[in-house]
Amino acid sequence: MKLPIWAEIVSKNTIKAYFETPVVLGEPVDIKLVIGDDEEPFVIAMKDMQANEVTMVLKRELQEKDISKDIFLKSSEGKVRVYPTEVLEDFTPDFNERLGCFIEDGRTIFRLWSPVAKFVKLLLFREHSNELPDAVHDMERKIDGIWETVIDKDLDGWFYLYEIDRLGEVVKTVDVYSKSVSINGEMSAVVNLLKSDPEGWKEDKPVNLRAFTDAIIYEMHIADITSLESSGVEEKLRGKYLGVVQESENDGVATALSHLKKLGITHVQIMPIMIFRSCKENDEKCYNWGYDPYLYMVPSGKYSTDPYDPYARLRELKEMIKRLHENGIGVILDVVFPHTYKIGKESPLDATVPFYYYRLDSKGNYIDETGCGNTTNSERKMMRKLMVDTVKYWLEEFHVDGFRFDQMGVIDLETMEMIVKTARKINKSALIYGEPWGAGCSVRIY
């Protein structure tokens, strides 16, 4: 039996191996399964006399401590790494577990999920321009794949990265649950969200609808509405969050907020404002719609007056939302969950837990159901949790009024139902809608 081209752990006692040429039932098996330093016994199961897919059933159940070890199928030909994928569903925390970085009672808490990690280090930087960390802390492994570090001081204004040793490679990555970042998302930022609230934010309320069919929605792009000199908006605010809510005109024609007020709309649907990677935030000439998400909870600094300040993007977006609400206009965010800009180490999802967050084929290739080179796996517990947590965060922290889901047809029904239920608990008038398609898949919402 030759070595497979791809092997994955799908349950606590089951490995699926995929071969380029069919395996014949009964032929000699000279493959060994090695977990760490120990050889593990298994039996072969096949659906047919010949098959490219072979199931290897272990004689014991794998534990969480096994998942982070080096796991290989070895033979005289060499070895192939076995990747934990579906099995990680058995090592997930409670759905309400808080992840990310947050400040409580003068302490700063860092918490991420990576059950495949051998170790995780927290790298702290006083300034985002520092090449070397000012402090390094070994994170503590908890249960259910959680790693945690608690620093007994308020680190507001610091920056951080995680250094993760996983699956034979050490990578540095930003936090999947980042709330703000340094310029261009190079580092995660520690922020006290209360400090990002503009004056009067506590009194801000979403727009209420008597019926969802009362909504009159206007799609807009933050940059498009005010970028030109003809917008009448002051130069430093053109193409920015705050430019949207400047009352202005050009040669007697209403622009910016003045224009929106005259339209008779109830909501603006804003094209993606989560940080994206096709444009650098400090490149004023670069333009993109933003359908290449990098981090789901971080507003793009490209539309803030100072993308180097982790607070500017938060505070100015909140101010824009508040001003729109004051004028009876709700804010709907266009969100892009079905795919990410990159995969591998350039994706915070893959960097933290390789392959888990994406749909793969039987050869370990990323399935492209979106036309963007990859498809996230919304059925997986932690992808589902990330999506629900993201929606909850934007509703509670930014008072948004709803979401338009890009390629919603790629997302599974159970996840969408959970999102709607969560959103309506927070805001009964929250609008939830989306595209009923993907770029190459069977629609998962019926």
Side-chain angles (χ1 to χ4, degrees):
M1 181 186 291
K2 295 182 179 181
L3 283 170
I5 56 174
W6 167 255
E8 60 180 331
I9 309 173
V10 296
S11 74
K12 289 182 177 181
N13 68 343
T14 306
I15 292 173
K16 285 189 177 180
Y18 305 91
F19 294 80
E20 192 70 58
T21 57
V23 173
V24 178
L25 186 65
E27 72 177 66
V29 177
D30 62 350
I31 292 177
K32 297 178 180 179
L33 172 64
V34 180
I35 300 178
D37 296 323
D38 301 319
E39 185 177 335
E40 294 284 342
F42 63 88
V43 295
I44 294 289
M46 295 171 56
K47 294 181 180 179
D48 300 297
M49 292 295 294
Q50 296 186 42
N52 292 83
E53 177 183 314
V54 171
T55 300
M56 300 177 172
V57 181
L58 282 64
K59 293 189 176 181
R60 71 173 179 92
E61 287 196 345
L62 297 177
Q63 305 301 309
E64 184 173 344
K65 63 182 180 180
D66 297 312
I67 295 301
S68 62
K69 294 178 180 179
D70 291 318
I71 304 176
F72 288 99
L73 292 174
K74 296 182 177 182
S75 76
S76 57
E77 295 182 348
K79 62 182 180 180
V80 170
R81 183 177 288 275
V82 183
Y83 293 94
T85 54
E86 192 73 25
V87 68
L88 299 182
E89 297 289 78
D90 293 317
F91 306 108
T92 59
D94 182 84
F95 204 78
N96 294 316
E97 182 74 51
R98 192 176 184 186
L99 298 176
C101 170
F102 42 95
I103 299 169
E104 284 185 352
D105 301 324
R107 304 181 306 160
T108 308
I109 301 167
F110 300 85
R111 191 178 293 148
L112 85 157
W113 180 74
S114 183
V116 298
K118 284 185 179 180
F119 73 76
V120 180
K121 292 182 182 291
L122 169 67
L123 311 182
L124 291 171
F125 302 81
R126 191 66 191 89
E127 303 292 339
H128 70 84
S129 57
N130 292 355
E131 292 187 8
L132 297 176
D134 295 281
V136 178
H137 296 269
D138 290 332
M139 300 191 73
E140 180 183 358
R141 181 190 287 275
K142 301 290 187 178
I143 62 171
D144 298 326
I146 297 291
W147 293 80
E148 182 182 80
T149 291
V150 179
I151 308 296
D152 288 326
K153 62 186 293 187
D154 186 332
L155 294 178
D156 179 28
W158 284 63
F159 300 90
Y160 68 100
L161 293 170
Y162 294 126
E163 183 177 275
I164 307 174
D165 183 345
R166 82 295 182 276
L167 302 179
E169 190 175 20
V170 178
V171 300
K172 294 177 184 177
T173 182
V174 293
D175 189 347
V176 170
Y177 274 75
S178 297
K179 300 305 189 298
S180 194
V181 291
S182 66
I183 183 71
N184 298 320
E186 294 169 356
M187 295 182 183
S188 300
V190 181
V191 291
N192 179 347
L193 290 170
L194 289 175
K195 290 175 61 176
S196 69
D197 292 349
E199 185 177 351
W201 185 245
K202 287 184 179 180
E203 289 70 47
D204 177 71
K205 302 294 181 186
V207 171
N208 287 319
L209 295 173
R210 290 180 299 175
F212 296 126
T213 50
D214 289 339
I216 304 172
I217 302 169
Y218 176 76
E219 183 180 34
M220 57 168 271
H221 185 288
I222 294 291
D224 283 355
I225 197 169
T226 66
S227 285
L228 300 180
E229 182 180 353
S230 58
S231 69
V233 170
E234 60 182 294
E235 186 174 357
K236 69 177 182 180
L237 299 183
R238 290 176 195 158
K240 309 299 182 184
Y241 298 120
L242 295 181
V244 173
V245 289
Q246 181 175 321
E247 302 219 32
S248 187
E249 67 172 39
N250 179 40
D251 197 23
V253 177
T255 60
L257 179 59
S258 302
H259 170 64
L260 294 175
K261 289 166 64 175
K262 283 191 170 186
L263 289 177
I265 59 175
T266 63
H267 294 75
V268 288
Q269 175 189 301
I270 302 177
M271 295 174 77
I273 58 171
M274 289 77 170
I275 184 171
F276 53 93
R277 298 291 271 180
S278 52
C279 285
K280 289 188 177 297
E281 294 181 321
N282 50 355
D283 183 353
E284 291 290 338
K285 294 182 179 180
C286 185
Y287 174 87
N288 195 281
W289 284 351
Y291 290 94
D292 51 318
Y294 182 57
L295 293 166
Y296 288 111
M297 300 185 188
V298 179
S300 173
K302 185 170 178 59
Y303 307 127
S304 72
T305 59
D306 185 0
Y308 291 88
D309 178 1
Y311 278 102
R313 64 185 74 208
L314 307 178
R315 189 179 299 112
E316 292 173 9
L317 176 56
K318 286 182 176 180
E319 181 65 34
M320 183 197 78
I321 292 170
K322 182 171 77 74
R323 290 286 305 280
L324 288 169
H325 283 168
E326 288 171 351
N327 287 278
I329 300 174
V331 176
I332 297 167
L333 298 185
D334 194 336
V335 290
V336 189
F337 286 116
H339 62 86
T340 58
Y341 174 58
K342 292 287 187 179
I343 52 178
K345 290 182 288 186
E346 293 187 73
S347 161
L349 298 176
D350 249 352
T352 306
V353 188
F355 302 120
Y356 171 82
Y357 288 98
Y358 296 91
R359 293 179 182 147
L360 307 173
D361 66 16
S362 61
K363 295 182 180 180
N365 299 315
Y366 293 82
I367 295 174
D368 185 7
E369 297 177 327
T370 62
C372 298
N374 63 85
T375 309
T376 56
N377 196 334
S378 60
E379 293 93 341
R380 295 268 168 87
K381 293 178 184 176
M382 295 304 285
M383 186 63 202
R384 178 175 293 161
K385 173 176 168 56
L386 176 61
M387 294 169 68
V388 173
D389 286 348
T390 297
V391 166
K392 184 178 180 182
Y393 175 70
W394 285 103
L395 287 166
E396 293 181 337
E397 187 63 35
F398 287 86
H399 304 177
V400 301
D401 302 82
F403 302 89
R404 178 265 189 189
F405 283 77
D406 191 61
Q407 296 191 347
M408 184 193 277
V410 178
I411 303 169
D412 70 284
L413 180 59
E414 184 177 346
T415 297
M416 282 309 309
E417 288 177 337
M418 186 177 292
I419 285 171
V420 173
K421 184 178 179 180
T422 300
R424 298 275 163 76
K425 280 185 178 180
I426 299 168
N427 176 5
K428 60 181 176 58
S429 294
L431 291 166
I432 307 287
Y433 57 94
E435 296 177 308
W437 67 286
C441 71
S442 299
V443 175
R444 286 174 168 80
I445 297 176
Y446 300 96

